[in-house]
Amino acid sequence: MELFFNLGPLEENRSTDPTLTIGLSGSGDVEFAPAQMAPDSIQRILITDQGDKLSIGAPLMVASGVRNAAGISFDRNGNLIFQDNGFSDPPNTELTLSSDELNRISANELGRTIPDFGFSESYVRISDGVIVNRSASYREPLVSFLPLNGRKSEGAVEVSIAPSGFPSEFIDTVFTTFFGKFGVGTAKNDENPLVAANPETGAYYHFINSAQMGNPSALLAAGGSLYLGDYSTTGFFFGSGADTAGAIYRITPVLAPNFRNLP
């Protein structure tokens, strides 16, 4: 089994000193190969079940220049798809500077090359979509989530490829949840949609508009349906009672009735 995970930065808007590595070790019934991993990256480890214990192989870096790739998935061709969060303007942490984005590493380059996704030197400016400080090694995102008609998409959390049971026009569509503003929901949270994106064209739209949920985060395609988890339907995380209740939604296509066969 392969496990892919992100190692985030030490600071929100600044790339980490590469000498500040992160250790990997284990004990007990888990056999580890001790290693040090680079920050601001996506790593892969191979897990082997040996019957009486698990064996964890040495980590392999598959991406650099990544801030927070919390959502990672694979499409039907074996390409690795992941989101990455933008960051704020250094003097003003309330002002978003770079856009959230959707990225891809093709199956034939996984483990062979290490693409650089730019954090924090090269990025897409959220105000106008301009690439700032484009370096020679910088890989542009498949999708930069800029505002759509004033509607924002900020705080990307999870991604999922459209379920096989969805209509054909959704083939290869990537859904992304956006947490939006912390601690508020519905009308007060204008940054929290569920977005559907075409990774080939870069086109995207709000499948569920913002300001309707709390802090949507979890996402899973299973059994022909798309499951969406909302941490708190109101956005509140503290207190008691219904104010902090979460929810899980199931989105399932419904075929339109065939009126031509009616008498």
Side-chain angles (χ1 to χ4, degrees):
M1 180 178 69
E2 292 179 307
L3 175 64
F4 291 80
F5 55 94
N6 171 225
L7 298 177
L10 188 62
E11 298 182 51
E12 177 188 348
N13 48 34
R14 184 180 302 175
S15 52
T16 310
D17 181 344
T19 65
L20 298 177
T21 57
I22 300 169
L24 178 68
S25 61
S27 60
D29 294 332
V30 179
E31 182 180 275
F32 273 82
Q36 293 294 314
M37 300 175 290
D40 310 353
S41 68
I42 295 177
Q43 303 279 335
R44 187 220 69 175
I45 57 175
L46 182 64
I47 303 175
T48 304
D49 187 351
Q50 297 183 334
D52 58 343
K53 63 181 177 181
L54 293 177
S55 175
I56 309 298
L60 177 69
M61 184 164 66
V62 300
S64 65
V66 175
R67 178 175 177 259
N68 183 27
I72 299 175
S73 186
F74 284 90
D75 66 17
R76 61 194 177 104
N77 297 313
N79 303 313
L80 188 144
I81 303 290
F82 67 94
Q83 54 67 236
D84 198 12
N85 291 145
F87 54 91
S88 62
D89 186 29
N92 182 1
T93 57
E94 298 299 319
L95 179 64
T96 302
L97 181 61
S98 70
S99 70
D100 286 11
E101 55 192 46
L102 191 67
N103 295 298
R104 177 172 61 195
I105 303 174
S106 64
N108 61 12
E109 65 180 339
L110 271 173
R112 296 181 177 87
T113 62
I114 305 174
D116 171 21
F117 292 93
F119 178 78
S120 62
E121 289 75 17
S122 301
Y123 59 90
V124 177
R125 193 163 55 204
I126 196 171
S127 59
D128 54 13
V130 169
I131 295 177
V132 178
N133 300 327
R134 186 199 301 265
S135 68
S137 62
Y138 172 57
R139 176 169 296 187
E140 296 182 31
L142 292 176
V143 180
S144 298
F145 294 108
L146 308 178
L148 290 173
N149 299 319
R151 299 195 306 271
K152 300 177 181 178
S153 310
E154 297 188 20
V157 182
E158 189 60 88
V159 299
S160 176
I161 310 301
S164 58
F166 271 40
S168 59
E169 56 264 36
F170 286 95
I171 291 178
D172 296 330
T173 293
V174 180
F175 288 96
T176 306
T177 51
F178 288 82
F179 194 87
K181 297 176 180 177
F182 184 84
V184 294
T186 58
K188 295 182 180 180
N189 194 342
D190 61 349
E191 303 174 354
N192 63 345
L194 172 64
V195 174
N198 183 325
E200 301 306 322
T201 66
Y204 60 97
Y205 62 95
H206 288 189
F207 189 81
I208 298 177
N209 279 332
S210 55
Q212 298 191 62
M213 296 178 283
N215 298 115
S217 301
L219 201 58
L220 174 68
S225 297
L226 186 67
Y227 293 85
L228 169 64
D230 189 347
Y231 277 152
S232 170
T233 56
T234 60
F236 294 114
F237 288 88
F238 309 101
S240 60
D243 280 349
T244 58
I248 297 176
Y249 303 99
R250 183 177 66 186
I251 302 170
T252 305
V254 177
L255 296 177
N258 188 347
F259 293 106
R260 291 177 297 180
N261 295 333
L262 293 178

